[in-house]
Amino acid sequence: IWARAAAYGGFRPPTLNELHRPFRVGNDITEANPLLTPETLLGVEVGLSDPARDWSLTLFYNELQDPITNVTVGVGPATFPTAGFVPAGGVLRQRRNAGAIEAWGLEADIDGEFGPHLSWRAAVSATRARVDGGVVVHRIEAAGDGFTLEREDGAFRVRGKRIERASLHKVYQRG
């Protein structure tokens, strides 16, 4: 059995479009924001695997600070200082840094053979994320599993994938 661990970090600066290029789609307007700061990521993961029996399990935790997202500023019909008039049914958004995202979860897979010419593989993943923008906290859960059955010579391949909970979204007001 192999044990592994990793710690990592990274960043993503805002793109030129996010900083300087507003755009419009129909009645919806998205404003650029020259005051955006880079997104930063810190993460850790630990895992176990057994190459002799072909299985692995990984647990992870990631924290993304200042994620860049489109934030709704107002709804038309109205006039706004940055965008001007937004018609009825339109929405004004601006790119902003939005607090922090914490995500933790697990990934597991196993594979094997049914004789010399037929192999199988099964995998599962689950992630729970918490988005904290300062006023409202969002919780998002996702889970999925899948399998593959394949003949060595490639004559056929059967794949299946089922998402149990693609996005369970709950909103909690901070008190």
Side-chain angles (χ1 to χ4, degrees), residues 113-131:
E113 297 179 351
F114 293 126
H117 302 290
L118 190 63
S119 63
W120 60 272
R121 180 174 190 267
V124 64
S125 65
T127 303
R128 184 176 179 110
R130 179 176 180 257
V131 181

PDB file of all heavy atoms in Angstrom, residues 113-131:
ATOM      1  N   GLU A 113     -10.011  -7.248 -13.669  1.00  0.00           N
ATOM      2  CA  GLU A 113     -10.208  -7.992 -14.912  1.00  0.00           C
ATOM      3  C   GLU A 113     -11.159  -9.146 -14.693  1.00  0.00           C
ATOM      4  O   GLU A 113     -11.180  -9.760 -13.629  1.00  0.00           O
ATOM      5  CB  GLU A 113      -8.871  -8.519 -15.426  1.00  0.00           C
ATOM      6  CG  GLU A 113      -7.900  -7.425 -15.786  1.00  0.00           C
ATOM      7  CD  GLU A 113      -6.565  -7.969 -16.263  1.00  0.00           C
ATOM      8  OE1 GLU A 113      -6.332  -9.197 -16.154  1.00  0.00           O
ATOM      9  OE2 GLU A 113      -5.769  -7.163 -16.740  1.00  0.00           O
ATOM     10  N   PHE A 114     -11.950  -9.413 -15.723  1.00  0.00           N
ATOM     11  CA  PHE A 114     -12.766 -10.624 -15.797  1.00  0.00           C
ATOM     12  C   PHE A 114     -12.094 -11.527 -16.821  1.00  0.00           C
ATOM     13  O   PHE A 114     -12.483 -11.573 -17.980  1.00  0.00           O
ATOM     14  CB  PHE A 114     -14.198 -10.325 -16.271  1.00  0.00           C
ATOM     15  CG  PHE A 114     -15.017  -9.522 -15.319  1.00  0.00           C
ATOM     16  CD1 PHE A 114     -15.628  -8.351 -15.733  1.00  0.00           C
ATOM     17  CD2 PHE A 114     -15.219  -9.937 -14.013  1.00  0.00           C
ATOM     18  CE1 PHE A 114     -16.417  -7.615 -14.873  1.00  0.00           C
ATOM     19  CE2 PHE A 114     -16.000  -9.201 -13.144  1.00  0.00           C
ATOM     20  CZ  PHE A 114     -16.599  -8.035 -13.579  1.00  0.00           C
ATOM     21  N   GLY A 115     -11.052 -12.195 -16.458  1.00  0.00           N
ATOM     22  CA  GLY A 115     -10.337 -13.034 -17.405  1.00  0.00           C
ATOM     23  C   GLY A 115      -9.302 -12.243 -18.178  1.00  0.00           C
ATOM     24  O   GLY A 115      -9.041 -11.073 -17.904  1.00  0.00           O
ATOM     25  N   PRO A 116      -8.700 -12.866 -19.209  1.00  0.00           N
ATOM     26  CA  PRO A 116      -7.570 -12.239 -19.901  1.00  0.00           C
ATOM     27  C   PRO A 116      -7.957 -11.117 -20.866  1.00  0.00           C
ATOM     28  O   PRO A 116      -7.115 -10.329 -21.266  1.00  0.00           O
ATOM     29  CB  PRO A 116      -6.928 -13.391 -20.652  1.00  0.00           C
ATOM     30  CG  PRO A 116      -8.040 -14.368 -20.862  1.00  0.00           C
ATOM     31  CD  PRO A 116      -8.930 -14.235 -19.672  1.00  0.00           C
ATOM     32  N   HIS A 117      -9.235 -11.020 -21.264  1.00  0.00           N
ATOM     33  CA  HIS A 117      -9.595 -10.056 -22.305  1.00  0.00           C
ATOM     34  C   HIS A 117     -10.644  -9.029 -21.899  1.00  0.00           C
ATOM     35  O   HIS A 117     -11.037  -8.204 -22.704  1.00  0.00           O
ATOM     36  CB  HIS A 117     -10.096 -10.787 -23.551  1.00  0.00           C
ATOM     37  CG  HIS A 117      -9.101 -11.743 -24.116  1.00  0.00           C
ATOM     38  ND1 HIS A 117      -7.942 -11.329 -24.737  1.00  0.00           N
ATOM     39  CD2 HIS A 117      -9.071 -13.087 -24.128  1.00  0.00           C
ATOM     40  CE1 HIS A 117      -7.249 -12.377 -25.116  1.00  0.00           C
ATOM     41  NE2 HIS A 117      -7.908 -13.472 -24.762  1.00  0.00           N
ATOM     42  N   LEU A 118     -11.116  -9.081 -20.672  1.00  0.00           N
ATOM     43  CA  LEU A 118     -12.189  -8.189 -20.263  1.00  0.00           C
ATOM     44  C   LEU A 118     -11.803  -7.490 -18.957  1.00  0.00           C
ATOM     45  O   LEU A 118     -11.468  -8.149 -17.974  1.00  0.00           O
ATOM     46  CB  LEU A 118     -13.486  -8.983 -20.074  1.00  0.00           C
ATOM     47  CG  LEU A 118     -14.759  -8.181 -19.880  1.00  0.00           C
ATOM     48  CD1 LEU A 118     -15.051  -7.343 -21.109  1.00  0.00           C
ATOM     49  CD2 LEU A 118     -15.919  -9.122 -19.603  1.00  0.00           C
ATOM     50  N   SER A 119     -11.819  -6.151 -18.969  1.00  0.00           N
ATOM     51  CA  SER A 119     -11.456  -5.400 -17.774  1.00  0.00           C
ATOM     52  C   SER A 119     -12.634  -4.533 -17.341  1.00  0.00           C
ATOM     53  O   SER A 119     -13.546  -4.268 -18.107  1.00  0.00           O
ATOM     54  CB  SER A 119     -10.229  -4.528 -18.035  1.00  0.00           C
ATOM     55  OG  SER A 119     -10.515  -3.571 -19.031  1.00  0.00           O
ATOM     56  N   TRP A 120     -12.580  -4.084 -16.072  1.00  0.00           N
ATOM     57  CA  TRP A 120     -13.622  -3.230 -15.524  1.00  0.00           C
ATOM     58  C   TRP A 120     -12.978  -2.158 -14.661  1.00  0.00           C
ATOM     59  O   TRP A 120     -11.856  -2.310 -14.190  1.00  0.00           O
ATOM     60  CB  TRP A 120     -14.656  -4.024 -14.723  1.00  0.00           C
ATOM     61  CG  TRP A 120     -14.062  -4.757 -13.550  1.00  0.00           C
ATOM     62  CD1 TRP A 120     -13.536  -6.013 -13.570  1.00  0.00           C
ATOM     63  CD2 TRP A 120     -13.900  -4.269 -12.220  1.00  0.00           C
ATOM     64  NE1 TRP A 120     -13.058  -6.351 -12.323  1.00  0.00           N
ATOM     65  CE2 TRP A 120     -13.281  -5.290 -11.470  1.00  0.00           C
ATOM     66  CE3 TRP A 120     -14.223  -3.080 -11.587  1.00  0.00           C
ATOM     67  CZ2 TRP A 120     -12.977  -5.149 -10.123  1.00  0.00           C
ATOM     68  CZ3 TRP A 120     -13.928  -2.939 -10.244  1.00  0.00           C
ATOM     69  CH2 TRP A 120     -13.306  -3.970  -9.528  1.00  0.00           C
ATOM     70  N   ARG A 121     -13.716  -1.074 -14.487  1.00  0.00           N
ATOM     71  CA  ARG A 121     -13.243   0.023 -13.651  1.00  0.00           C
ATOM     72  C   ARG A 121     -14.460   0.717 -13.063  1.00  0.00           C
ATOM     73  O   ARG A 121     -15.449   0.940 -13.750  1.00  0.00           O
ATOM     74  CB  ARG A 121     -12.443   1.023 -14.473  1.00  0.00           C
ATOM     75  CG  ARG A 121     -11.929   2.185 -13.654  1.00  0.00           C
ATOM     76  CD  ARG A 121     -11.005   3.078 -14.492  1.00  0.00           C
ATOM     77  NE  ARG A 121     -10.354   4.044 -13.634  1.00  0.00           N
ATOM     78  CZ  ARG A 121     -10.811   5.260 -13.397  1.00  0.00           C
ATOM     79  NH1 ARG A 121     -11.928   5.661 -13.953  1.00  0.00           N
ATOM     80  NH2 ARG A 121     -10.158   6.076 -12.603  1.00  0.00           N
ATOM     81  N   ALA A 122     -14.395   1.092 -11.788  1.00  0.00           N
ATOM     82  CA  ALA A 122     -15.465   1.842 -11.128  1.00  0.00           C
ATOM     83  C   ALA A 122     -14.832   3.008 -10.374  1.00  0.00           C
ATOM     84  O   ALA A 122     -13.730   2.887  -9.850  1.00  0.00           O
ATOM     85  CB  ALA A 122     -16.235   0.947 -10.169  1.00  0.00           C
ATOM     86  N   ALA A 123     -15.543   4.139 -10.347  1.00  0.00           N
ATOM     87  CA  ALA A 123     -15.013   5.329  -9.679  1.00  0.00           C
ATOM     88  C   ALA A 123     -16.155   6.088  -9.026  1.00  0.00           C
ATOM     89  O   ALA A 123     -17.294   6.026  -9.477  1.00  0.00           O
ATOM     90  CB  ALA A 123     -14.292   6.218 -10.689  1.00  0.00           C
ATOM     91  N   VAL A 124     -15.818   6.789  -7.955  1.00  0.00           N
ATOM     92  CA  VAL A 124     -16.788   7.641  -7.274  1.00  0.00           C
ATOM     93  C   VAL A 124     -16.075   8.910  -6.825  1.00  0.00           C
ATOM     94  O   VAL A 124     -14.879   8.886  -6.516  1.00  0.00           O
ATOM     95  CB  VAL A 124     -17.440   6.915  -6.073  1.00  0.00           C
ATOM     96  CG1 VAL A 124     -16.410   6.586  -5.015  1.00  0.00           C
ATOM     97  CG2 VAL A 124     -18.576   7.717  -5.491  1.00  0.00           C
ATOM     98  N   SER A 125     -16.799  10.024  -6.854  1.00  0.00           N
ATOM     99  CA  SER A 125     -16.247  11.267  -6.336  1.00  0.00           C
ATOM    100  C   SER A 125     -17.358  12.029  -5.633  1.00  0.00           C
ATOM    101  O   SER A 125     -18.522  11.932  -6.002  1.00  0.00           O
ATOM    102  CB  SER A 125     -15.639  12.119  -7.455  1.00  0.00           C
ATOM    103  OG  SER A 125     -16.647  12.524  -8.347  1.00  0.00           O
ATOM    104  N   ALA A 126     -16.989  12.759  -4.612  1.00  0.00           N
ATOM    105  CA  ALA A 126     -17.953  13.573  -3.876  1.00  0.00           C
ATOM    106  C   ALA A 126     -17.246  14.850  -3.432  1.00  0.00           C
ATOM    107  O   ALA A 126     -16.119  14.801  -2.948  1.00  0.00           O
ATOM    108  CB  ALA A 126     -18.480  12.820  -2.666  1.00  0.00           C
ATOM    109  N   THR A 127     -17.910  15.975  -3.616  1.00  0.00           N
ATOM    110  CA  THR A 127     -17.355  17.271  -3.233  1.00  0.00           C
ATOM    111  C   THR A 127     -18.412  18.062  -2.485  1.00  0.00           C
ATOM    112  O   THR A 127     -19.570  18.058  -2.865  1.00  0.00           O
ATOM    113  CB  THR A 127     -16.919  18.080  -4.469  1.00  0.00           C
ATOM    114  OG1 THR A 127     -15.978  17.323  -5.210  1.00  0.00           O
ATOM    115  CG2 THR A 127     -16.311  19.410  -4.075  1.00  0.00           C
ATOM    116  N   ARG A 128     -17.991  18.720  -1.442  1.00  0.00           N
ATOM    117  CA  ARG A 128     -18.874  19.639  -0.712  1.00  0.00           C
ATOM    118  C   ARG A 128     -18.150  20.982  -0.682  1.00  0.00           C
ATOM    119  O   ARG A 128     -17.012  21.065  -0.224  1.00  0.00           O
ATOM    120  CB  ARG A 128     -19.125  19.128   0.690  1.00  0.00           C
ATOM    121  CG  ARG A 128     -20.105  19.982   1.457  1.00  0.00           C
ATOM    122  CD  ARG A 128     -20.375  19.360   2.812  1.00  0.00           C
ATOM    123  NE  ARG A 128     -21.286  20.195   3.536  1.00  0.00           N
ATOM    124  CZ  ARG A 128     -22.539  19.864   3.798  1.00  0.00           C
ATOM    125  NH1 ARG A 128     -23.002  18.707   3.384  1.00  0.00           N
ATOM    126  NH2 ARG A 128     -23.314  20.672   4.470  1.00  0.00           N
ATOM    127  N   ALA A 129     -18.825  22.007  -1.183  1.00  0.00           N
ATOM    128  CA  ALA A 129     -18.209  23.326  -1.266  1.00  0.00           C
ATOM    129  C   ALA A 129     -19.053  24.338  -0.512  1.00  0.00           C
ATOM    130  O   ALA A 129     -20.276  24.239  -0.471  1.00  0.00           O
ATOM    131  CB  ALA A 129     -18.052  23.746  -2.722  1.00  0.00           C
ATOM    132  N   ARG A 130     -18.387  25.309   0.060  1.00  0.00           N
ATOM    133  CA  ARG A 130     -19.041  26.390   0.795  1.00  0.00           C
ATOM    134  C   ARG A 130     -18.521  27.703   0.232  1.00  0.00           C
ATOM    135  O   ARG A 130     -17.314  27.949   0.235  1.00  0.00           O
ATOM    136  CB  ARG A 130     -18.702  26.272   2.274  1.00  0.00           C
ATOM    137  CG  ARG A 130     -19.305  27.349   3.132  1.00  0.00           C
ATOM    138  CD  ARG A 130     -18.976  27.057   4.607  1.00  0.00           C
ATOM    139  NE  ARG A 130     -19.536  28.078   5.439  1.00  0.00           N
ATOM    140  CZ  ARG A 130     -18.824  29.058   5.971  1.00  0.00           C
ATOM    141  NH1 ARG A 130     -17.525  29.127   5.769  1.00  0.00           N
ATOM    142  NH2 ARG A 130     -19.411  29.966   6.727  1.00  0.00           N
ATOM    143  N   VAL A 131     -19.421  28.526  -0.272  1.00  0.00           N
ATOM    144  CA  VAL A 131     -19.063  29.820  -0.830  1.00  0.00           C
ATOM    145  C   VAL A 131     -19.472  30.878   0.176  1.00  0.00           C
ATOM    146  O   VAL A 131     -20.642  30.972   0.536  1.00  0.00           O
ATOM    147  CB  VAL A 131     -19.779  30.066  -2.181  1.00  0.00           C
ATOM    148  CG1 VAL A 131     -19.370  31.409  -2.756  1.00  0.00           C
ATOM    149  CG2 VAL A 131     -19.492  28.940  -3.151  1.00  0.00           C
TER     150      VAL A 131
END
